Amino acid sequence: MKFHALLPVRDEADIIGQCLQNLLTWADSIYVFDTGSVDNSWEIVQDFVSKDKRIVPIRKEPVYFSDTRLRGYMFNVARQQMQDGDWFLRVDADEFHHILPPEFVKTYLKPHETIVYHQYYDFQFTKAELKAWEEGKETLADRQRPIEQRRRYFTPSIYSEPRLCKYRSTMQWSEAVSFPYNAGFLAKERLPIRHYPHRDPVQLARRYKLRAIMMADETNRKNWKRPEQHHWSEADWRKVVMSNNNPDLKYWNEGEELPRYQFSNHLRSAHIRLAQRLVHSFLLPILDAKRPRFSLDVQPQPISEDVQQLLIQELS
């Protein structure tokens, strides 16, 4: 039984090294697709590749991010090295698994549970930390410190989506879906992940400028429902700086256990889960045979030269 991580990357030079170090503590293979970084993210990945062949660089190419087309493409590249009974994970550069996936599968899953949603602990950048940055008490040099030492305040996320799945050779992930069809029977427990999307003012300014430019592009906007309401369309990073008086804000000391939240909004009602249990026990190969495959001629959607040049101009 092996664990395969699928990691898309874009302009994550401040954290990609720490991310890869964390992934290498448990992953048997890490597939990386750089979607057009204009910082040195790809060079950092290549340095890791030279030292550990578990990291598989798919390629660097300016493409639009997509949970369907991009992640589906990565899965269909990586599945060539997967075997029935392996596990694969959707991962991002700002995520750190608080319980390592092999341990989670061994300790928290029942044998019939084969797909796991995540439990995000969203670590925030607070107003007090912004003030410290503006006063010079924290600088870019502090990026050398582990992110779990720099950002200690978090809020638990009720929202959840699939992250970990047991592989079977008949499953299909076409370019039309964000996870394989009939991926498996959903586990009650969620996979705890420390999430660090907001790390410092420089990273936040770059992140929001990148996303605003991408979302303003008409070609990309067609890939999203209600793009004007999507958080990617927000250009002002200061709006996400959290007040230290927020009642939902929790403090975590490095090395301590995080509180377990038994959210169940990712689960269907008991009678529907019973029906799903029967279907996933006996009918998956039949259902898989009826599902569309990922088209061999489909590639991640390229970014136009004009947009890429604008991103280089604004972010370099």
Side-chain angles (χ1 to χ4, degrees):
M1 179 174 64
K2 294 184 177 182
F3 289 79
H4 309 268
L6 311 177
L7 174 63
V9 173
R10 171 98 200 200
D11 293 302
E12 302 277 12
D14 67 300
I15 202 168
I16 184 62
Q18 294 183 40
C19 168
L20 290 172
Q21 288 175 344
N22 180 269
L23 291 174
L24 286 169
T25 63
W26 58 264
D28 296 287
S29 61
I30 305 163
Y31 292 83
V32 185
F33 193 126
D34 187 309
T35 63
S37 296
V38 298
D39 62 9
N40 65 330
S41 294
W42 187 242
E43 288 70 25
I44 295 172
V45 170
Q46 291 294 331
D47 183 58
F48 272 83
V49 170
S50 68
K51 300 172 183 176
D52 198 313
K53 297 307 179 185
R54 287 179 291 167
I55 303 175
V56 183
I58 296 177
R59 67 177 183 272
K60 177 181 179 180
E61 180 183 350
V63 300
Y64 294 109
F65 173 78
S66 169
D67 270 336
T68 56
R69 194 161 169 174
L70 174 61
R71 290 199 194 269
Y73 174 82
M74 295 181 67
F75 168 78
N76 282 280
V77 170
R79 74 178 308 171
Q80 300 174 43
Q81 304 303 320
M82 297 181 192
Q83 298 182 356
D84 286 290
D86 286 355
W87 294 81
F88 65 90
L89 298 95
R90 283 175 31 177
V91 298
D92 289 323
D94 56 9
E95 297 177 350
F96 292 74
H97 294 81
H98 190 65
I99 298 177
L100 303 187
E103 178 62 26
F104 183 87
V105 169
K106 178 181 178 181
T107 305
Y108 292 94
L109 291 192
K110 298 177 181 178
H112 60 277
E113 294 177 329
T114 55
I115 181 172
V116 181
Y117 275 45
H118 70 20
Q119 174 58 61
Y120 259 172
Y121 297 80
D122 288 321
F123 280 78
Q124 307 292 337
F125 187 62
T126 68
K127 290 185 176 180
E129 291 165 334
L130 176 58
K131 182 180 178 181
W133 187 278
E134 292 173 337
E135 293 175 349
K137 297 176 182 177
E138 183 178 358
T139 68
L140 290 175
D142 287 288
R143 287 180 170 179
Q144 302 303 314
R145 297 165 52 206
I147 188 63
E148 57 265 27
Q149 295 178 7
R150 296 174 59 209
R151 300 293 164 249
R152 299 291 186 85
Y153 290 94
F154 73 91
T155 54
S157 174
I158 295 178
Y159 170 76
S160 188
E161 60 186 30
R163 274 294 192 269
L164 169 65
C165 187
K166 193 172 187 178
Y167 178 75
R168 62 181 186 277
S169 58
T170 59
M171 70 186 349
Q172 301 300 332
W173 185 342
S174 82
E175 61 272 20
V177 293
S178 60
F179 214 68
Y181 296 103
N182 306 114
F185 187 73
L186 186 56
K188 289 185 177 181
E189 292 284 346
R190 292 184 178 182
L191 178 65
I193 296 175
R194 290 181 281 114
H195 185 214
Y196 299 94
H198 308 146
R199 301 186 287 278
D200 59 55
V202 175
Q203 175 264 333
L204 277 169
R206 283 179 57 88
R207 179 187 183 97
Y208 276 74
K209 186 177 291 185
L210 164 70
R211 291 186 163 192
I213 292 172
M214 297 277 275
M215 191 57 74
D217 178 51
E218 287 300 321
T219 301
N220 186 39
R221 288 175 68 87
K222 295 176 182 178
N223 296 325
W224 303 84
K225 294 180 179 178
R226 300 181 179 178
E228 69 284 352
Q229 298 181 12
H230 200 277
H231 70 280
W232 273 48
S233 64
E234 176 59 60
D236 184 4
W237 62 268
R238 289 180 178 270
K239 291 183 178 180
V240 303
V241 179
M242 183 166 286
S243 169
N244 290 81
N245 295 325
N246 189 308
D248 295 327
L249 201 61
K250 313 294 182 183
Y251 185 81
W252 176 67
N253 282 311
E254 182 186 6
E256 290 183 354
E257 286 300 314
L258 284 165
R260 289 181 63 189
Y261 297 98
Q262 301 295 321
F263 297 132
S264 60
N265 56 304
H266 65 300
L267 300 172
R268 303 294 295 273
S269 60
H271 70 281
I272 293 179
R273 280 180 59 79
L274 177 59
Q276 290 174 333
R277 174 79 182 276
L278 295 173
V279 168
H280 288 95
S281 296
F282 302 106
L283 300 178
L284 282 187
I286 298 174
L287 294 175
D288 289 342
K290 299 178 180 295
R291 296 300 190 180
R293 299 175 179 270
F294 195 92
S295 302
L296 295 178
D297 60 343
V298 170
Q299 296 284 323
Q301 186 178 7
I303 295 174
S304 70
E305 182 65 25
D306 290 345
V307 174
Q308 181 63 8
Q309 287 303 315
L310 179 59
L311 290 168
I312 293 173
Q313 174 184 328
E314 293 293 328
L315 300 177
S316 294

